[in-house]
C-alpha cells in the first residue's frame, strides 16, 4: 500500500497560470517605502524642473508604480522577492530556462495509486494521447513513441523517469533538444480523487513554431494537453472514451482522429 | 433507418440515415416506440442554440425496447422496455456520484463550446446540438444509448408507454423544479408556464406537500389543463397583473416558491417584454428573462426561485437587487433525472402520477414538420406531439 500522496502544489509548485496572475514580489513594508520615496522624487522633480527634474519624475513614477502594484520587474528578472508569502517552489523535476511551458490539470475521481499504475504502463498512452499511434517499450526506461500528425507518421525515442515517491512520470528525448513531458499526480482534497497535471516543456523555438502552426493548422500543444487529459479522465472514470459517433450527413467529426476504444479493461469505477 | 432531422431554422424532414451501432462497451441500442417533441426543441429549431448542423437527428424524450447491448452492460438486457433519461450521465465521475447527472464530466465528446461559454462543459444530451455532444436524437427508428446501465430504466410491467414516456424528461424536470423548492407544509408554489414541464411541476409540487399551486400562462386550454388535470389555481397573465394577483392570493405574503418552467423565449405583456424582443432580435441578448424577472419580484422574502425553463446565454436587466435584498434562494439546472426516475416510476405504478394527459397529438416521423409547426404555434390545443417511429 502506498503512502498518502501529497498535494500537487506542495510538491511541484503552483501552476504557471496562477503564478502569472499573482506576481507579487515586493514585501508590504518595502511597498510603502517605495511608494513614499517615489512620491517624494516626483514632487522634487516637479519643483526642480529641467532634465534632472524629468529624470527624477520618471524614476519616482516607477517607484510609486512598484509600490502600488507590489511587483518589481527587476526582482522578477533576478528571481528574488522581498515578500514573505510562501514562495512558489520551482518544479524540481524540470528545467525552466529558455523553455515554453504548457500546463493543464484535471481531477480524476480515482485514487492516485490506481492512476499512477495505469499511467506508468506506456502501452496505455495511445488510448488517450492525441496523435499517438503506438508506444514501443525498448527496455531500460526507454520507449519509442509513434505519432501521426496530418497523415504523417513519425517516431522519437524517449527515456522515462518514474518517481514512485512523488508519483511523477517524466518523459524526455533520448537525443535532441532538452524537451520534456511530465505527468504529476497529487491527492485532490476531500477524497475527490487525484489531480493530474500534465506539463509540456518545449524549446522556445518549437513552442513559437507550434503556436504559429496552431493558428493555421490546429496543431496547438495546449489543446492537445487539454484533450489528452479529458480523454484520460473519461477512460479512468467511465471506462471508455465517449463518442457521439458518425451519423447522418456528417462525413467525420471535425479535427478528429478516429476514436479508439481500449481493448483491455482500464480501472473503471465500480457500478453505483 | 428513418430519422427526423434538422434541415435549417424551423425546418425538419425525414431522412434515411445509417442505423446506430454499439460504439462503446457500455452502449445499448433501442428500438424507439415513442418519442416526444419538447419545448426545448423549439429553441434549437428557432436558431437560438448555435452548433446545430444540417442532418442532426433531433428528439430527446423517449421510450423503447432494448434490442442490443455491449459487453459491459450488466443491468439492461435485450427485450427490456426502458425509459431513458434525456441527459447522459457516465455514472462514475464526481457529479454522477453525487447524483448531479446533468453536470457529468465525461459524456460530452464536444466540450469546447460549453467549456468556453459556461466555464466548464456540461453533460451530453440526445439530439440537442453539438454544444451538448452532438448525439443522435430519438426521433428515429433506433437510438444508441451510452452508459445504458446508468441512463436506462426498466418500465414496470403493465404500464403502457403513454404513462411512462414523460419520465424521460418532462416529469423529472418538473419534479426537480419542485424538489429544489424544499417545499414545507402550508407552502404556496407559483408555476410559470403550463406546458409539459409546468404541468409536471404542478403535480410534483402537490406530491411534495404544497398547500396550493398557482399556475400562470396565457393559453386557455393549457390553463384549463393545469386546473382540471393538475389541480392548480390559474392566472392568465394577459388578463391580470400577475404580481398583484399573486400578492393578493397569498394574503399579501407572496408565493413561498416560484418555478420558472418557461425559459429563454418567454412572452409577456409589459414594456420589458418589448425591450427584450428588440434586444434579442438584434442579438444584443440571447435570452428573454421576462418570466425570471417576474418570478424574482413576485417571490416572498426569503423564498426560493427554481429555474427549470432552459436558458442558453445571456440575459439583461436581471433584478439582482431584489434577489439579494429579499434574501432569495435561486436554484436551477438541467434535470438530474437518473436521481428521480426510479421514484417517479413508483408513483406512476401506484397511480399517484399519470402524465399521459400531456399527449394531445400523435404523428408519424414523416409528418414531423407539421407536428412541430402545430406544437410551436400551439394550434388545435396542442400540448405535446408524440411520434411513433415504426408507424
Amino acid at each position: 500500500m502506498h503512502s498518502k500522496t501529497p498535494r500537487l502544489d506542495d510538491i511541484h509548485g503552483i501552476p504557471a497560470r496562477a503564478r502569472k496572475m499573482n506576481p507579487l514580489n515586493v514585501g508590504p513594508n518595502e511597498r510603502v517605502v517605495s511608494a513614499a520615496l517615489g512620491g517624494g522624487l516626483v514632487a522634487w522633480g516637479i519643483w526642480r524642473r529641467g532634465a534632472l527634474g524629468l529624470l527624477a519624475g520618471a524614476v519616482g513614477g516607477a517607484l510609486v508604480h512598484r509600490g502600488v502594484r507590489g511587483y518589481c520587474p527587476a526582482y522578477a528578472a533576478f528571481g528574488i522577492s522581498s515578500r514573505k508569502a510562501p514562495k512558489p517552489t520551482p518544479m524540481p523535476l524540470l528545467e525552466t530556462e529558455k523553455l515554453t511551458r504548457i500546463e493543464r490539470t484535471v481531477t480524476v475521481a480515482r485514487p492516485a495509486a490506481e492512476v499512477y499504475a495505469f499511467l506508468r504502463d506506456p502501452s496505455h498512452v495511445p488510448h488517450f494521447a492525441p496523435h499517438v499511434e503506438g508506444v514501443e517499450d525498448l527496455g531500460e526506461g526507454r520507449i519509442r513513441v509513434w505519432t501521426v500528425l496530418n497523415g504523417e507518421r513519425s517516431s522519437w525515442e524517449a527515456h522515462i523517469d518514474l518517481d514512485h515517491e512523488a508519483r511523477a512520470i517524466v518523459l524526455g528525448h533520448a537525443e535532441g533538444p532538452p524537451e520534456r513531458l511530465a505527468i504529476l499526480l497529487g491527492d485532490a482534497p476531500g477524497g475527490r480523487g487525484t489531480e493530474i497535471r500534465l506539463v509540456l516543456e518545449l524549446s522556445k523555438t518549437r513552442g513559437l513554431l507550434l503556436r504559429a502552426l496552431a493558428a493555421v493548422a490546429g496543431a496547438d500543444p495546449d489543446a492537445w494537453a487539454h484533450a489528452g487529459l479529458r480523454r484520460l479522465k473519461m477512460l479512468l472514470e467511465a471506462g471508455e472514451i465517449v463518442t457521439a459517433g458518425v451519423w447522418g450527413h456528417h462525413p467525420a467529426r471535425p479535427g478528429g482522429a478516429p476514436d479508439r476504444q481500449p481493448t483491455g479493461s482500464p480501472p473503471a469505477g465500480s457500478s453505483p | 433507418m428513418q430519422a427526423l432531422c434538422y434541415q435549417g431554422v424551423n425546418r425538419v424532414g425525414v431522412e434515411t440515415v445509417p442505423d446506430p451501432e454499439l460504439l462503446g462497451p457500455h452502449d445499448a441500442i433501442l428500438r424507439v416506440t415513442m418519442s416526444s417533441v419538447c419545448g426545448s426543441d423549439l429553441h434549437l429549431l428557432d436558431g437560438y442554440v448555435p452548433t446545430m448542423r444540417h442532418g442532426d437527428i433531433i428528439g430527446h424524450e423517449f421510450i423503447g425496447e432494448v434490442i442490443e447491448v455491449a459487453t459491459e452492460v450488466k443491468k439492461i438486457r435485450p427485450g427490456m422496455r426502458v425509459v431513458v433519461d434525456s441527459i447522459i450521465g457516465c455514472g462514475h465521475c464526481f457529479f454522477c456520484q453525487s447524483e448531479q447527472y446533468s453536470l457529468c464530466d465525461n459524456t460530452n465528446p464536444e466540450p469546447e463550446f460549453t467549456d468556453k461559454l459556461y466555464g466548464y462543459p456540461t453533460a451530453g444530451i440526445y439530439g440537442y446540438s453539438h454544444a451538448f455532444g452532438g448525439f443522435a436524437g430519438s426521433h428515429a427508428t433506433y437510438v444508441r444509448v451510452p452508459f445504458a446501465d446508468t441512463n436506462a430504466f426498466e418500465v414496470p410491467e403493465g404500464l403502457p408507454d403513454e404513462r411512462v414516456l414523460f419520465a424521460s424528461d418532462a416529469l423529472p424536470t418538473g419534479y426537480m423544479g419542485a424538489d429544489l423548492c424544499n417545499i414545507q407544509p402550508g407552502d404556496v408554489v407559483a408555476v410559470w408556464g403550463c406546458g409539459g414541464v409546468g404541468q409536471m411541476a404542478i403535480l410534483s409540487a402537490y406530491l411534495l406537500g404544497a398547500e396550493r399551486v398557482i399556475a400562470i400562462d396565457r393559453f386557455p386550454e393549457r390553463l384549463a389543463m393545469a386546473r382540471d388535470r393538475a389541480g392548480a389555481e390559474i392566472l392568465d397573465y394577459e388578463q391580470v397583473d400577475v404580481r398583484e394577483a399573486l400578492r393578493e392570493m397569498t394574503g399579501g405574503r407572496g408565493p413561498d416558491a416560484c418555478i420558472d418552467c418557461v425559459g429563454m423565449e418567454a412572452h409577456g405583456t409589459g414594456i420589458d417584454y418589448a425591450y427584450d424582443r428588440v434586444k434579442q432580435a438584434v442579438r444584443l441578448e440571447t435570452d428573454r428573462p421576462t418570466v425570471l424577472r417576474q418570478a424574482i419580484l413576485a417571490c416572498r422574502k426569503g423564498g426560493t426561485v427554481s429555474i427549470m425553463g432552459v436558458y442558453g446565454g445571456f440575459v439583461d436587466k436581471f433584478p439582482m437587487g431584489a434577489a439579494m435584498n429579499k434574501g432569495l434562494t435561486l436554484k436551477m439546472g438541467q434535470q438530474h433525472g437518473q436521481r428521480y426516475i426510479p421514484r417517479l416510476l413508483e408513483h406512476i405504478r401506484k397511480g399517484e402520477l399519470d402524465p399521459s394527459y400531456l399527449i394531445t397529438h400523435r404523428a408519424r416521423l414523416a409528418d414531423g414538420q407539421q407536428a412541430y409547426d402545430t406544437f410551436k404555434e400551439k394550434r388545435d390545443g396542442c400540448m405535446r406531439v408524440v411520434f411513433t417511429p415504426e408507424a
Side-chain angles (χ1 to χ4, degrees):
Chain A
M1 190 70 196
H2 286 284
S3 60
K4 193 173 152 61
T5 312
R7 283 199 56 230
L8 199 53
D9 294 354
D10 295 341
I11 21 173
H12 302 301
I14 60 172
R17 277 187 177 79
R19 280 205 297 279
K20 274 180 207 150
M21 281 185 294
N22 186 21
L24 296 183
N25 61 4
V26 183
N29 294 338
E30 191 182 327
R31 284 174 70 173
V32 175
V33 173
S34 180
L37 194 68
L41 270 175
V42 170
W44 186 77
I46 291 168
W47 173 78
R48 174 71 171 71
R49 292 174 191 271
L52 197 60
L54 200 64
L55 183 70
V59 173
L63 283 172
V64 170
H65 185 258
R66 181 178 180 275
V68 171
R69 272 211 57 201
Y71 173 73
C72 174
Y75 277 11
F78 290 105
I80 50 176
S81 170
S82 58
R83 222 170 142 247
K84 283 230 180 64
K87 237 164 74 176
T89 334
M91 186 174 295
L93 295 162
L94 305 166
E95 295 170 22
T96 52
E97 296 305 309
K98 296 195 179 92
L99 289 167
T100 295
R101 173 178 285 192
I102 288 151
E103 292 182 359
R104 280 282 172 187
T105 312
V106 77
T107 299
V108 171
R110 306 301 310 161
E114 190 182 303
V115 176
Y116 182 67
F118 180 79
L119 284 172
R120 59 177 292 189
D121 180 348
S123 73
H124 288 145
V125 174
H127 294 318
F128 62 88
H131 308 293
V132 176
E133 193 189 43
V135 178
E136 193 184 338
D137 195 344
L138 304 174
E140 292 174 359
R142 289 179 317 119
I143 54 169
R144 177 157 288 278
V145 182
W146 293 89
T147 54
V148 179
L149 188 54
N150 296 329
E152 219 167 285
R153 201 154 180 261
S154 60
S155 81
W156 44 279
E157 208 179 301
H159 57 81
I160 309 183
D161 290 317
L162 297 172
D163 181 340
H164 299 303
E165 195 63 34
R167 297 212 175 95
I169 299 165
V170 183
L171 245 76
H173 285 287
E175 293 144 20
E179 298 178 325
R180 305 199 210 190
L181 183 153
I183 296 175
L184 314 167
L185 307 184
D187 277 337
R192 273 161 216 209
T194 308
E195 292 177 2
I196 307 176
R197 181 168 302 150
L198 190 144
V199 184
L200 192 57
E201 287 192 331
L202 301 167
S203 69
K204 273 255 159 40
T205 2
R206 187 124 77 138
L208 282 172
L209 195 72
L210 280 172
R211 294 227 157 144
L213 262 176
V216 291
D220 181 2
D222 186 48
W224 292 344
H226 208 164
L229 285 179
R230 273 210 173 105
R231 291 165 68 92
L232 173 64
K233 178 177 162 71
M234 283 181 180
L235 205 51
L236 287 167
E237 288 185 348
E240 66 173 281
I241 290 171
V242 180
T243 169
V246 179
W247 46 274
H249 288 293
H250 311 308
R253 299 212 300 120
D259 289 299
R260 284 176 299 262
Q261 293 298 334
T263 44
S265 190
S270 55
S271 290
Chain B
M1 67 169 182
Q2 300 291 297
L4 191 61
C5 298
Y6 176 83
Q7 296 179 333
V9 173
N10 285 318
R11 275 201 8 249
V12 294
V14 166
E15 297 180 13
T16 303
V17 299
D19 287 357
E21 291 171 17
L22 298 172
L23 296 175
H26 305 93
D27 285 1
I29 305 288
L30 255 65
R31 183 176 64 78
V32 180
T33 51
M34 270 193 179
S35 181
S36 175
V37 303
C38 171
S40 57
D41 292 339
L42 298 178
H43 308 316
L44 305 177
L45 297 180
D46 285 345
Y48 288 118
V49 179
T51 73
M52 284 298 286
R53 295 190 201 142
H54 186 101
D56 284 351
I57 305 173
I58 54 173
H60 55 259
E61 185 159 30
F62 60 103
I63 185 168
E65 184 192 342
V66 180
I67 56 167
E68 197 182 359
V69 297
T71 50
E72 298 293 316
V73 178
K74 307 292 180 206
K75 289 194 307 204
I76 300 301
R77 311 284 353 142
M80 266 187 190
R81 276 176 69 223
V82 293
V83 61
V84 179
D85 193 274
S86 58
I87 302 176
I88 306 165
C90 78
H92 299 291
C93 67
F94 169 79
F95 299 100
C96 287
Q97 289 287 311
S98 53
E99 296 196 308
Q100 302 177 87
Y101 296 89
S102 71
L103 309 181
C104 178
D105 264 341
N106 293 320
T107 54
N108 188 345
E110 299 184 45
E112 297 80 10
F113 186 83
T114 45
D115 196 359
K116 283 208 173 72
L117 186 63
Y118 300 152
Y120 293 93
T122 54
I125 305 178
Y126 301 94
Y128 207 71
S129 86
H130 289 262
F132 293 90
F135 288 93
S138 60
H139 293 342
T141 318
Y142 303 104
V143 65
R144 167 181 162 250
V145 175
F147 301 102
D149 281 341
T150 300
N151 300 300
F153 296 83
E154 188 175 15
V155 175
E157 218 163 299
L159 291 182
D161 284 357
E162 287 82 353
R163 283 172 70 184
V164 181
L165 169 63
F166 297 107
S168 169
D169 188 13
L171 179 53
T173 306
Y175 191 89
M176 177 161 144
D179 189 39
L180 294 180
C181 294
N182 188 24
I183 295 169
Q184 302 297 312
D187 273 2
V188 181
V189 178
V191 175
W192 273 259
C194 295
V197 170
Q199 302 279 339
M200 296 301 104
I202 298 166
L203 291 174
S204 303
Y206 279 126
L207 267 179
L208 290 166
E211 181 81 22
R212 295 165 63 199
V213 181
I214 302 167
I216 301 139
D217 205 304
R218 67 174 162 148
F219 294 98
E221 62 279 4
R222 292 192 167 198
L223 285 168
M225 222 180 240
R227 183 189 58 213
D228 302 337
R229 305 302 297 259
E233 297 164 53
I234 54 174
L235 287 178
D236 180 342
Y237 67 79
E238 286 186 336
Q239 307 293 327
V240 298
D241 179 325
V242 170
R243 275 169 56 198
E244 286 303 322
L246 284 173
R247 183 198 283 259
E248 286 313 304
M249 290 168 84
T250 54
R253 301 186 304 276
D256 301 283
C258 295
I259 309 178
D260 170 2
C261 297
V262 177
M264 63 195 277
E265 290 188 73
H267 290 82
T269 50
I271 182 82
D272 63 326
Y273 172 63
Y275 166 88
D276 284 325
R277 274 320 279 239
V278 171
K279 286 207 82 168
Q280 197 177 39
V282 297
R283 297 285 191 258
L284 283 174
E285 84 179 327
T286 58
D287 304 3
R288 303 194 298 261
T290 318
V291 161
L292 190 54
R293 288 190 199 112
Q294 208 168 62
I296 286 171
L297 293 172
C299 192
R300 78 151 162 85
K301 291 181 285 182
T304 300
V305 175
S306 157
I307 307 164
M308 300 313 294
V310 172
Y311 290 86
F314 301 91
V315 300
D316 205 355
K317 304 283 180 290
F318 183 84
M320 196 60 211
M324 192 277 162
N325 288 290
K326 290 193 335 188
L328 299 185
T329 300
L330 267 61
K331 290 189 171 184
M332 62 200 89
Q334 297 273 7
Q335 46 96 358
H336 311 305
Q338 294 85 342
R339 184 201 296 179
Y340 298 114
I341 290 173
R343 80 178 83 153
L344 293 171
L345 289 177
E346 193 53 22
H347 282 306
I348 295 171
R349 195 186 61 78
K350 287 185 185 159
E352 295 160 347
L353 268 177
D354 182 4
S356 60
Y357 74 90
L358 298 183
I359 305 174
T360 52
H361 292 68
R362 288 168 191 260
R364 297 175 309 144
L365 290 179
D367 302 323
Q369 181 72 61
Q370 199 194 347
Y372 269 101
D373 289 346
T374 307
F375 176 57
K376 184 182 177 182
E377 287 153 29
K378 301 175 181 71
R379 274 188 241 143
D380 186 25
C382 180
M383 173 69 83
R384 284 294 181 99
V385 186
V386 167
F387 295 107
T388 40
E390 288 266 292

